[in-house]
Amino acid sequence: MNYLRPELYNPLAAQYVLGTLRGPARRRFGRLVMEFSVISDAVNHWELYLNSLGEQLPDVAPDDGVWQKIEQRLGFSSLQAKSNISAGPPNDEQAETNIVALKSHKSRIWPSLAGLASAAAVVLAVLLLQLQPMPSPEVKQLAMINNQQTELLWSIEITEQQIAVRATKALQAQSNADYELWIVPQDGSAPISLGLLPKVGERTLLKPQLFEQITIAALAVSLEPLGGSPNGAPTEVLYTGKLVLL
């Protein structure tokens, strides 16, 4: 089997990062990651992409009663624990009455955790189905723009007609300048502007027809005056990123 085909190693790389590739298949793919740089790069791209999605999720603080419910389901009494602390060292009579007895019945937390694990497995399975090669995938290509410290600054998803760009929290944008995205043609011709990148949040750029008509070596990000390049060429190229075909 030729594992160097993108339609084969890309889905496997996604499963490898998600942790759903297991057993001998995972060990075999781990050896391929060490042996072939193109597969290692695919794993790195999926790690960056999935991490960028995780950064978009809002932080959710658990309810104050969550831990009390966990203690109750495990058979402990949080109220008794608090009263023991406030009452100080127990005497002999108190020691007998302050013993926390574990309930003999089976705790209901384990079925609950098993249900959550099953739900998570279903979600991952659905996600993996979406990652499998399809005749007309919604997202055709990905690009990750990293800084010199390999921190992800922008994630780029390219569909049939649009280029969706998301800025990450690692981006420390200059307020007195803009960032412009460029196509770097493989034939060495002049870079082609795709538009200004967002400094925060997301922005959708129109995908030009020539995107499919030329061979693209990479995407580049330049630092420009406010409003973009004044002469149609990159002023100062800061970062580049390769396109990954899905």
Side-chain angles (χ1 to χ4, degrees):
M1 184 178 296
N2 184 8
Y3 285 99
L4 297 182
R5 292 180 298 166
E7 64 270 20
L8 183 59
Y9 69 68
N10 260 324
L12 290 174
Q15 297 177 50
Y16 186 81
V17 173
L18 285 170
T20 56
L21 189 66
R22 299 176 181 174
R26 183 174 184 85
R27 292 191 293 271
R28 180 169 57 250
F29 192 76
R31 291 193 294 269
L32 295 174
V33 172
M34 299 295 294
E35 185 175 355
F36 298 103
S37 61
V38 65
I39 297 180
S40 176
D41 290 342
V43 170
N44 291 335
H45 276 292
W46 278 114
E47 288 176 342
L48 293 170
Y49 177 63
L50 294 174
N51 287 337
S52 71
L53 293 181
E55 290 181 357
Q56 308 305 314
L57 298 176
D59 295 333
V60 178
D63 185 81
D64 293 338
V66 169
W67 287 114
Q68 293 181 3
K69 292 179 181 178
I70 291 176
E71 290 177 343
Q72 292 172 1
R73 290 185 178 184
L74 287 174
F76 295 101
S77 173
S78 59
L79 295 177
Q80 280 186 325
K82 292 181 180 178
S83 64
N84 290 343
I85 295 175
S86 61
N91 54 34
D92 293 340
E93 295 181 357
Q94 289 176 328
E96 297 181 0
T97 59
N98 287 340
I99 294 175
V100 178
L102 292 177
K103 297 181 180 179
S104 59
H105 64 79
K106 185 181 295 185
S107 174
R108 292 179 295 174
I109 190 171
W110 303 118
S112 300
L113 292 177
L116 289 175
S118 299
V122 171
V123 172
L124 288 176
V126 172
L127 178 59
L128 287 175
L129 286 176
Q130 295 175 343
L131 295 176
Q132 296 298 324
M134 299 176 64
S136 300
E138 181 179 355
V139 177
K140 299 180 65 176
Q141 292 172 297
L142 292 174
M144 304 294 166
I145 305 298
N146 305 323
N147 59 16
Q148 286 77 8
Q149 291 74 39
T150 69
E151 295 175 313
L152 179 64
L153 303 181
W154 290 278
S155 63
I156 301 173
E157 296 181 351
I158 300 166
T159 64
E160 192 68 35
Q161 298 179 339
Q162 296 179 332
I163 301 174
V165 185
R166 181 185 297 113
T168 71
K169 297 177 182 179
L171 176 63
Q172 298 180 351
Q174 299 183 26
S175 60
N176 60 344
D178 274 331
Y179 300 88
E180 195 161 348
L181 184 65
W182 303 81
I183 292 175
V184 180
Q186 182 71 46
D187 60 11
S189 56
I192 303 165
S193 175
L194 292 172
L196 297 181
L197 295 174
K199 297 180 181 180
V200 294
E202 301 181 13
R203 178 174 295 172
T204 300
L205 306 176
L206 183 64
K207 180 182 176 183
Q209 292 184 352
L210 58 83
F211 204 97
E212 306 291 348
Q213 300 171 356
I214 63 175
T215 302
I216 300 174
L219 297 181
V221 175
S222 66
L223 182 67
E224 303 291 345
L226 291 175
S229 172
N231 56 10
T235 300
E236 179 186 357
V237 175
L238 300 178
Y239 316 108
T240 60
K242 293 285 188 179
L243 286 171
V244 176
L245 180 66
L246 297 183

